[in-house]
């Protein structure tokens, strides 16, 4: 399968069409952005790490019965995926207070929750991805009630699986964002990526941040922690 036409260039990857209308190719870039694209950075090899780590995690999730868009890793930076219509929601699950939750509600970062939380942001760069609830998403016509149920089920299933996967390598899953899409058969599947760009990951012993917050907050060791998380996963699941 080869790349045909650039369909979309996002902040961290490019998406190409292929000869098969039901398949696309992701090409991960080394770039990082934060705060809706205002802050920019990169490190060499980031695209390769995120591509391989996302595929590795997606395979583990598939083994646990979670359907994803993943088809085949084509190279260190490229992956063949099913073409899906992305539902314009960022689906966020939290186990521990951090980031915008802490800011919005005045809760100290690191405060654990008795139960995971689920929230959605409306994916719209012009509006700055505002927080949105179920009834507003229905009113906008971007989902049906059945879709919302399917999305929540996927979000909690991914949380349970990811918590376990990361716990095995000494990492606490603080929160994460996923995206979901509809395949040509109308099935809702996990899409986009799961990586330290999209999760908050803290070392279980020291609480050291092992994710994109190192870039967002200028904490240093941005590349090092991505290498660290990838090395721990690879070593543990060999
Ligand atoms: N997140 C993401 N993309 C976004 C917004 C958030 O991947 O556009 C992830 C982020 O890395 C974190 C989780 O979603 O793991 C929750 O982010 P939060 O709402 O706290 O936003 P932030 O503090 O990053 O602005």
């Amino acid at each position: 399968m080869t790349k045909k036409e650039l369909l979309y260039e996002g902040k961290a990857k490019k998406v190409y069409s292929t000869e098969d209308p039901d398949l696309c190719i992701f090409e991960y870039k080394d770039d990082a952005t934060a705060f809706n694209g205002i802050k920019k950075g990169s490190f060499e090899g980031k695209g390769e790490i995120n591509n391989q780590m996302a595929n590795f995690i997606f395979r583990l999730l598939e083994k646990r019965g979670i359907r994803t868009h993943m088809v085949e890793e084509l190279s260190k930076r490229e992956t063949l995926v099913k073409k899906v219509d992305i539902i314009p929601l960022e689906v966020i699950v939290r186990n521990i207070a951090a980031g915008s939750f802490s800011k919005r509600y005045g809760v100290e970062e690191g405060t654990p929750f008795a139960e995971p939380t689920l929230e959605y942001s409306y994916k719209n760069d012009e509006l700055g991805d505002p927080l949105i609830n179920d009834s507003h998403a229905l009113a906008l016509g971007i989902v049906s009630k059945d879709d919302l149920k399917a999305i929540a089920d996927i979000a909690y299933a991914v949380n349970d699986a990811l918590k376990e996967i990361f716990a095995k390598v000494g990492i606490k899953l603080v929160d994460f964002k996923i995206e979901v899409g509809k395949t040509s058969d109308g099935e809702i599947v996990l899409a986009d990526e799961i990586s330290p760009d999209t999760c908050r990951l803290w070392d279980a012993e020291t609480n050291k941040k092992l994710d994109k917050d190192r870039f967002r907050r200028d904490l240093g060791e941005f590349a090092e922690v991505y290498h660290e998380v990838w090395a721990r996963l690879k070593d543990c699941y060999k």
Side-chain angles (χ1 to χ4, degrees):
M1 204 61 69
T2 51
K3 292 185 269 193
K4 243 175 97 182
E5 188 189 335
L6 180 66
L7 295 177
Y8 168 80
E9 176 156 5
K11 290 156 192 153
K13 55 182 126 40
K14 295 179 183 175
V15 182
Y16 292 89
S17 64
T18 67
E19 307 84 273
D20 185 332
D22 284 333
L23 298 174
C24 291
I25 292 175
F26 273 11
E27 182 189 312
Y28 284 71
K29 307 193 286 187
D30 286 341
D31 299 341
T33 64
F35 314 120
N36 206 3
I38 293 167
K39 187 178 166 88
K40 291 190 170 67
S42 73
F43 67 80
E44 209 186 310
K46 173 171 175 286
E48 294 188 356
I49 292 182
N50 278 8
N51 177 47
Q52 294 175 88
M53 200 179 329
N55 293 338
F56 184 88
I57 290 170
F58 276 24
R59 266 185 233 111
L60 291 174
L61 296 179
E62 289 265 2
K63 275 195 196 155
R64 290 160 199 249
I66 296 165
R67 306 294 303 272
T68 79
H69 70 166
M70 160 106 202
V71 179
E72 188 191 356
E73 189 167 288
L74 299 176
S75 72
K76 284 188 173 172
R77 275 185 197 275
E78 295 165 311
T79 297
L80 188 65
V81 298
K82 281 184 203 150
K83 185 167 186 168
V84 296
D85 282 331
I86 290 286
I87 293 173
L89 293 175
E90 295 196 332
V91 180
I92 294 172
V93 179
R94 302 175 189 271
N95 298 301
I96 297 171
S100 66
F101 185 100
S102 290
K103 215 169 157 187
R104 183 176 310 118
Y105 302 117
V107 178
E108 199 184 336
E109 281 210 326
T111 309
F113 304 136
E115 295 292 332
T117 68
L118 174 63
E119 74 200 46
Y120 305 115
S121 294
Y122 178 33
K123 262 173 74 80
N124 184 316
D125 283 342
E126 263 169 50
L127 300 176
D129 299 340
L131 193 65
I132 188 173
N133 68 19
D134 288 40
S135 66
H136 290 179
L138 287 168
L140 287 174
I142 56 181
V143 283
S144 67
K145 281 189 177 169
D146 286 348
D147 292 342
L148 284 170
K149 168 82 173 71
I151 294 168
D153 287 348
I154 293 172
Y156 287 124
V158 169
N159 186 49
D160 288 343
L162 280 185
K163 266 199 303 197
E164 219 183 287
I165 290 164
F166 283 116
K168 265 197 178 173
V169 297
I171 290 174
K172 279 193 250 185
L173 178 66
V174 174
D175 57 31
F176 64 93
K177 182 264 310 183
I178 54 170
E179 295 186 21
V180 294
K182 265 191 193 168
T183 63
S184 53
D185 313 330
E187 188 190 8
I188 295 188
V189 298
L190 179 63
D192 195 52
E193 70 175 279
I194 293 179
S195 71
D197 273 9
T198 65
C199 302
R200 283 199 171 90
L201 305 169
W202 294 358
D203 181 87
E205 274 177 19
T206 63
N207 279 340
K208 180 176 176 177
K209 294 178 179 28
L210 303 173
D211 57 57
K212 199 168 135 181
D213 272 347
R214 301 215 73 88
F215 164 68
R216 289 192 194 95
R217 302 180 185 189
D218 294 318
L219 301 173
E221 296 182 83
F222 179 31
E224 288 83 349
V225 300
Y226 279 56
H227 282 283
E228 164 88 23
V229 174
W230 181 216
R232 285 197 205 183
L233 283 174
K234 269 195 302 193
D235 288 350
C236 177
Y237 289 90
K238 257 196 300 229

